[in-house]
């Protein structure tokens, strides 16, 4: 395979990402604050529902009590929606500003490349980086990085709420952590190289197609059509193998994620029921803890799903 342009290592990518974050720290701080407030507003509902369930069990709940709880839940959910909307606007501005800077730097560095360097690597590599890689990087900057940050905020605050409700039941929430950690570690050790291989394969396809189109008359005059088609078939086969490898990684990883998401909910329900019969926890604590544990599924899915897309963006 033809020598391609240099690729940044993990340390260089992290340094560059940190420099972008520092340049936009005000918007980033506002984004974190808004999502923290939105998460706090959303965590009130399970606590209110848990208290209502316990009142119903004791027979002390009235219609007025139920109406009051429903009204409070509606108000907090409305506040959460407003905060999430505001955070989305800030996130969009942050992503577009950062992406604009990255694009400008890409153009400046591309134009500064010595012509012999580009010729040795081939125009296909540069075309791939200016099209496919910039596109995947756009997805990472505008969505993946903010979504992962938001997911961590939600998970952290939800775990704090779980501990406040019941430290005993909070332990159940991490029942799936070993599966998630082992599966994610396995995936992250293999994914970066796999996505770099995908990018290199795309560069070979673009290089072959560009050379064939640019020299179409020469190819026809010298009867090289069969050779160029064979080159295109080989490049497509290499790209297919590269994408099949990364898809296989995701299949294994997603299976681990499914188990890791469902296990904490099942353990919380089973152990919570046992603990309630033993008088260790109240029905309100079991209800709230179960709802909190279930609410962890969405942000964890958000983190891990966007983590996969962030690997593609990092490779770009």
């Amino acid at each position: 395979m033809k020598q391609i342009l240099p690729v940044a290592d993990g340390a260089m990518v992290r340094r560059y990402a940190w420099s972008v974050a520092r340049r936009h720290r005000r918007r980033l701080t506002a984004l974190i604050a808004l999502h923290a407030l939105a998460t706090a507003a959303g965590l009130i509902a399970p606590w209110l529902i848990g208290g209502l369930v316990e009142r119903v069990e004791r027979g002390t709940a009235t219609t007025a009590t139920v109406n009051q709880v429903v009204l409070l839940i509606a108000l907090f959910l409305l506040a959460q929606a407003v905060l999430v909307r505001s955070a989305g606007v800030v996130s969009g501005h942050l992503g577009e500003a950062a992406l604009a800077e990255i694009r400008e730097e890409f153009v400046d560095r591309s134009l500064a490349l010595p012509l012999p360097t580009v010729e040795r690597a081939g125009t296909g590599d540069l075309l791939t980086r200016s099209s496919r890689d910039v596109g995947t990087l756009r997805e990472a900057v505008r969505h993946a990085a903010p979504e992962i940050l938001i997911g961590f905020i939600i998970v952290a605050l939800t775990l704090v709420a779980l501990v406040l409700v019941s430290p005993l039941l909070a332990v159940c929430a991490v029942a799936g952590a070993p599966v998630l950690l082992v599966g994610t570690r396995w995936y992250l050790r293999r994914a970066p190289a796999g996505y770099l291989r995908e990018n290199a394969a795309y560069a070979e396809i673009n290089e072959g197609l560009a050379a064939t189109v640019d020299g179409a008359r020469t190819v026809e005059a010298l009867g090289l059509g069969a050779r160029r088609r064979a080159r295109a078939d080989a490049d497509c086969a290499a790209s297919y193998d590269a994408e099949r490898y990364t898809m296989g990684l995701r299949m294994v990883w997603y299976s681990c994620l499914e188990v890791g998401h469902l296990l904490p909910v099942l353990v919380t329900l089973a152990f919570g029921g046992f603990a309630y019969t033993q008088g260790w926890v109240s029905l309100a604590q079991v209800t709230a803890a179960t709802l909190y544990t279930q609410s962890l599924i969405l942000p964890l899915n958000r983190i891990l799903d966007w983590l996969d897309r962030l690997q593609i963006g990092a490779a770009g």
Side-chain angles (χ1 to χ4, degrees):
M1 188 174 289
K2 185 177 294 185
Q3 179 183 2
I4 63 173
L5 296 170
V7 177
D9 58 19
M12 293 178 66
V13 173
R14 287 190 293 272
R15 285 197 300 269
Y16 184 76
W18 180 245
S19 69
V20 173
R22 286 202 309 270
R23 291 197 296 268
H24 300 276
R25 56 182 176 273
R26 290 185 179 179
R27 284 175 175 167
L28 187 60
T29 302
L31 178 65
I32 294 173
L34 287 170
H35 275 292
L37 291 173
T39 302
L43 291 175
I44 301 297
W47 178 74
L48 291 173
I49 293 173
L52 180 60
V53 169
E54 186 165 359
R55 289 185 184 183
V56 171
E57 182 207 17
R58 293 176 179 176
T60 58
T62 63
T63 303
T65 302
V66 174
N67 292 337
Q68 183 181 12
V69 171
V70 171
L71 179 61
L72 286 174
I73 291 175
L75 289 175
F76 279 111
L77 291 179
L78 178 62
Q80 183 185 28
V82 173
L83 290 168
V84 169
R85 165 66 176 149
S86 301
V89 173
V90 174
S91 177
H93 290 167
L94 172 63
E96 288 298 333
L99 185 62
E101 288 186 2
I102 293 172
R103 281 173 169 164
E104 291 173 358
E105 291 182 16
F106 172 79
V107 173
D108 291 340
R109 295 187 183 187
S110 298
L111 294 176
L113 287 173
L115 186 58
T117 301
V118 178
E119 290 178 343
R120 283 196 303 269
T123 56
D125 188 18
L126 189 58
L127 286 173
T128 300
R129 298 189 187 215
S130 63
S131 56
R132 183 175 185 270
D133 288 357
V134 170
T136 55
L137 192 59
R138 176 177 179 270
E139 186 78 2
V141 172
R142 289 190 60 187
H143 300 291
E147 289 290 339
I148 289 175
L149 177 62
I150 294 164
F152 276 118
I153 294 172
I154 296 174
V155 169
L157 292 179
T158 304
L159 289 176
V160 170
L162 263 169
V163 172
L164 292 177
V165 167
S166 172
L168 182 63
L169 295 178
V171 178
C172 301
V174 298
V179 179
L180 293 176
L181 289 175
V182 171
T184 303
R185 179 180 174 84
W186 177 88
Y187 172 76
L188 291 180
R189 290 179 62 181
R190 294 163 175 81
Y195 285 123
L196 285 175
R197 181 184 168 195
E198 272 191 23
N199 289 353
Y202 274 108
E204 285 294 305
I205 291 176
N206 286 332
E207 170 65 20
L209 291 176
T212 301
V213 173
D214 290 341
R217 292 184 178 180
T218 303
V219 170
E220 184 177 0
L222 299 179
L224 300 176
R227 182 180 299 180
R228 300 309 299 177
R229 285 194 296 271
R231 159 74 187 271
D233 290 341
D235 291 342
C236 289
S239 177
Y240 171 81
D241 289 339
E243 291 204 24
R244 185 176 180 180
Y245 173 76
T246 55
M247 184 176 291
L249 294 180
R250 291 193 295 273
M251 293 283 287
V252 176
W253 187 43
Y254 288 163
S255 299
C256 295
L257 299 188
E258 289 297 324
V259 175
H261 291 329
L262 295 177
L263 192 59
V265 178
L266 295 176
V267 172
T268 302
L269 281 171
F271 181 73
F274 173 75
Y276 173 70
T277 61
Q278 301 299 312
W280 299 342
V281 294
S282 65
L283 186 60
Q285 288 175 304
V286 175
T287 303
T290 302
L291 292 174
Y292 281 141
T293 303
Q294 188 174 17
S295 68
L296 285 172
I297 295 177
L298 182 59
L300 283 174
N301 268 334
R302 174 186 292 178
I303 291 172
L304 296 171
D305 180 53
W306 284 104
L307 184 62
D308 179 46
R309 305 192 195 187
L310 192 60
Q311 295 301 309
I312 301 175

